[in-house]
Amino acid sequence: MNAAKSNHREPLDSNEAYLRRYPRICAHIIAESLGYATPQRAASILRDAREGQENCCEWIFSCYNRDPKPAVKGAISGRHRHKGYMASYQQALQIVRQQVDTGRGPDFASWF
């Protein structure tokens, strides 16, 4: 079975499952956060947005009053501007892929 197809059959019951299924969106969330979000945090933000839950990470709490949906919408709609030092989509995607492939990722922030 193709690995890409198996990802779409995996239940979305964990942050890891969101990270595996939506690595590009998670990378854009990291870039939108200017590197504040780790891959695990980006996955939790996406998961909470999709499930209609509040998210209490400092970035979402302070900027969006615990509502992760505007952050996810901003990450997706602003994806073409995720370039440069603090908002590099390519760097974020590399960090997400490392997390998916090895289970290891940054502990406190994706960069800085």
Side-chain angles (χ1 to χ4, degrees):
M1 181 186 309
N2 182 329
K5 287 183 181 178
S6 67
N7 282 346
H8 292 289
R9 295 186 182 167
E10 177 181 7
L12 291 172
D13 58 0
S14 68
N15 292 340
E16 291 78 17
Y18 273 84
L19 199 58
R20 282 190 297 274
R21 180 152 332 156
Y22 302 109
R24 293 180 304 240
I25 294 174
C26 290
H28 280 297
I29 292 169
I30 292 169
E32 186 75 9
S33 77
L34 301 177
Y36 172 79
T38 63
Q40 285 291 324
R41 177 60 59 203
S44 77
I45 291 167
L46 179 59
R47 181 180 184 184
D48 288 342
R50 186 168 186 260
E51 295 178 0
Q53 302 292 323
E54 290 184 342
N55 186 284
C56 291
C57 89
E58 184 178 343
W59 174 51
I60 301 300
F61 185 91
S62 297
C63 296
Y64 301 104
N65 196 29
R66 296 182 301 269
D67 183 0
K69 288 180 184 177
V72 173
K73 288 178 183 177
I76 293 169
S77 67
R79 67 191 177 278
H80 299 295
R81 72 178 190 287
H82 292 153
K83 298 175 181 141
Y85 172 63
M86 293 296 284
S88 172
Y89 165 73
Q90 293 301 326
Q91 184 178 357
L93 186 58
Q94 184 178 18
I95 292 167
V96 167
R97 287 184 174 150
Q98 176 184 339
Q99 176 83 41
V100 169
D101 292 344
T102 68
R104 292 184 315 240
D107 291 324
F108 300 111
S110 287
W111 55 76
F112 59 77

